[in-house]
Amino acid sequence: MEIVSFKSILPKYKAVFFDAFGVLKNYKGLIPGIEKTFAYLTENNIQYYIVTNDASRSPQQLAESYHKLGLNVITSDRIISSGMLAKEYLDLKVNSGIVAYLGTENSAHYIESSGLKTLPVSQIDDSNINEVNALVLLDDEGFNWFFDLNKTVNLIRKRTIPAIVANTDNTYPLTKHEVAIAIGGIATMIESIVGKSFIRFGKPDSQMFMFALEQVRFKEPIGKHEILMVGDTLHTDILGGNKFGLDTALVLTGNTRMDEAETKIKSTGIVPTHVCESVIID
Amino acid sequence: MEIVSFKSILPKYKAVFFDAFGVLKNYKGLIPGIEKTFAYLTENNIQYYIVTNDASRSPQQLAESYHKLGLNVITSDRIISSGMLAKEYLDLKVNSGIVAYLGTENSAHYIESSGLKTLPVSQIDDSNINEVNALVLLDDEGFNWFFDLNKTVNLIRKRTIPAIVANTDNTYPLTKHEVAIAIGGIATMIESIVGKSFIRFGKPDSQMFMFALEQVRFKEPIGKHEILMVGDTLHTDILGGNKFGLDTALVLTGNTRMDEAETKIKSTGIVPTHVCESVIID
Amino acid sequence: MEIVSFKSILPKYKAVFFDAFGVLKNYKGLIPGIEKTFAYLTENNIQYYIVTNDASRSPQQLAESYHKLGLNVITSDRIISSGMLAKEYLDLKVNSGIVAYLGTENSAHYIESSGLKTLPVSQIDDSNINEVNALVLLDDEGFNWFFDLNKTVNLIRKRTIPAIVANTDNTYPLTKHEVAIAIGGIATMIESIVGKSFIRFGKPDSQMFMFALEQVRFKEPIGKHEILMVGDTLHTDILGGNKFGLDTALVLTGNTRMDEAETKIKSTGIVPTHVCESVIID
Amino acid sequence: MEIVSFKSILPKYKAVFFDAFGVLKNYKGLIPGIEKTFAYLTENNIQYYIVTNDASRSPQQLAESYHKLGLNVITSDRIISSGMLAKEYLDLKVNSGIVAYLGTENSAHYIESSGLKTLPVSQIDDSNINEVNALVLLDDEGFNWFFDLNKTVNLIRKRTIPAIVANTDNTYPLTKHEVAIAIGGIATMIESIVGKSFIRFGKPDSQMFMFALEQVRFKEPIGKHEILMVGDTLHTDILGGNKFGLDTALVLTGNTRMDEAETKIKSTGIVPTHVCESVIID
């Protein structure tokens, strides 16, 4: 396994898609020096987008979270989130009634649209259960796990409705050695209990990359072979990028440590085009 | 699918194993008339045992719960619970240190033994984590799901210890139309998140039936073909009984409704020897 | 569950995607009267495409198979096959060396491209195994199952290469009551044995629908809500169409029989927008 | 991870259960020096049994295979095979009709009993399919994979009968670097295709250990803590031994290499009581 510098592979590409967590930032904040990477991309006319499994906030709010950390180049139109896919699904496929959700009020606000009312699972009762036309799992916070997960199981048993999870990750890092259960992990439990499959939006699914590709092509007509997907996780970022036909770069600043990268690549059979220590350009 | 009376099949057997929930009792209490069934078994010298996926209480406490409902014939020596298997495992395989648990204090009390100290997951911290030599999932109550499930995930990531779940059921019935997530369902989520397999005790596993068979043979030398396993669930009671070589009877007072029994048998390929409406003997 | 006529739902749509097997044809040949459906679509300016999980032949050959049956309106540019996705993947991601395959010579011919040589798994040996840069599973015929499946397992264990399966179906119907194991079913076995995930192209994956959508929009700018996906299988056609944001129609001429449709919809939670007996327009 | 000599751990035990392949023998024949190990056990009055996932031959034939290699101490009463469990199941649960099988004639001969006729899947046709009351998967050889696996899938779709697989292994080693697909791996494919669960006999299931324990206790009353299970595979030998309450020793002469043992133990959470290079006693 050869490790190359991120800068050395860039000349080949006209656009770069970045995963967020483990690539641009970690539990401590932004990866130090990240602003130079974006300056370099801008200088060299390379487009960039953030492609992230995150349904807890709107692209605007996600962008603001970068601004607060001092990275102003990440504007909301640069962000492709799995929440956007969930929102598109609801807009197209659910025309009326209530969308029950697990997550914070904030996460629900974003997916609301003209014909739809969102209601936390905790507020579903006999008086409104028959109006519930979809269930969406948005965030692991904002609800009581004991009461609301039990309620969710019974809701899906009673109503034949689509259940959507807008984040395919099982966990997210909290500190260097601790993780937290993500809403994707909770979804796995509910699915196995009720015996139904959720509709999952997020990497490695192609739809995420399609959204990003449309943005890129809106500006200039470039081919898939001119795009690089950068991520820290083999099963989401690299598998998804590979399958969509993009070149891929695995970075070692997040989920995959340097001492385990080669073993993981061999045992999974998921092979990135490049391996880089980080996306930092010195 | 022929439905026969429970009484009509009994002459062939010298011992009967009963599942508890959905067979002897349901969310409303004892199945009305159940005392006549046990009177009939006693009269006809047919041994009986309760074989139950329950780790929330000791056999003594389980027996008392029947006595409170007025069924005094269920004595603690008649009860084979998955909790007994968990206890045997800890006695044989974990000799020292702390057993961390999810469940009520009561459930933990039963599994304690000379060399072992039990501690709820919530009380594990940096000062004692290195003494934790096993994790046991006992009950879905008695802990804070949000804090303690996240803590459990991190405990298993940090310590290479056996994780035991003493109840293989995903849910249990709460009312006629509502279920609750059982500790077995929670275990499934944790397993998929951490990528490790728990040691599961309970039907359909053979060890449950072995324990019961040992009790039976302590009293008289009878063959497997002279024992009937009665249950309401194809995947646990009937599959487990069949695999162990016992005759099996599916009853329709619990998890399997009369209108779906035939379809479920065909689609799963799990075929009971008999199908009865209930275990009631008129 | 209301069953409506296919004709009655068409006015709402500007394009229709059809699954092939179970919708347009079955084991006996074309569904009688199918030519009238296409005549009606043409008259009413509704675009149509065949979206099929088939990697055994090129779109040209697939089109010819319809012509031989007397249906000349199905031209090769109307066909979106999972084989096209596999071919695009190889074009973009595998630049040199040998692509080993399971399938007929014919199936391999289609995926060949400038830099790549295809070779059946049976011809891989110590002299060329290090040049193998991808494995593709194309068809269930054209090879010796015993020798070549064992060889395939060892090939994947020795080489860290992408393994692609261009058909997600487990079986296909052979006669009214018999099925045959499809290459997708074989792939599932190999995956579980080697512990690696194959890259799977085909419905329900979004990439299939994306290809079809691009064709449609090349002719006129229409929205996803103006497109209907028609299929006989809940887990591929309907789930995939729903997830991509299309309206969906389940037909009862293939995998899903009328007497089981409602039960299957409830137990899977995959709900089509419409249910029609067939696509025939009288 | 401490590596200890096999001899040093023996004083604690009154009986040892050995896995066969990877422990006593490998693809080249017996592990050199193995006869000294059995001489030592005999001298020290330690009972020994072979506990093996093998349904291709009778215990008599398995014993003869050791005699041919020069190891005469392995008599048939020392062998506990998963084929014995399959045979007991058929004896107890299938009273009449035909048992269809995949495997060699030899493997079928062993499971035949008074009321039952065995017939290879290839000989099942419309004239006898309704008499088929069980399907047994015995060996990966002795049949045409293409024709007979397809036939097996259709048999299980048509008949609601128990399907038994008497070997839970997915592969077995052929040479130092090559494996072959075992009948357990084939069973996994058929299960996922037909959506039914097979009844699986073999380690890690407790029933294997129960059979062995009964043999041991027939000679002397010893406790589970006085028995050692020795194996080369974490998921079958060690997991099964641990769960049954036995002490376990992982040896590094088969499936688990020395350089990967520690990583595998950590990532699976399956922890042997001891790790030894081999069972050889110098």
Side-chain angles (χ1 to χ4, degrees), chain B residues 172-193:
Chain B
Y172 58 93
L174 215 56
T175 67
K176 195 168 180 185
H177 297 295
E178 307 247 325
V179 299
I181 301 173
I183 191 71
I186 291 172
T188 303
M189 173 174 75
I190 311 273
E191 278 178 300
S192 84
I193 285 173

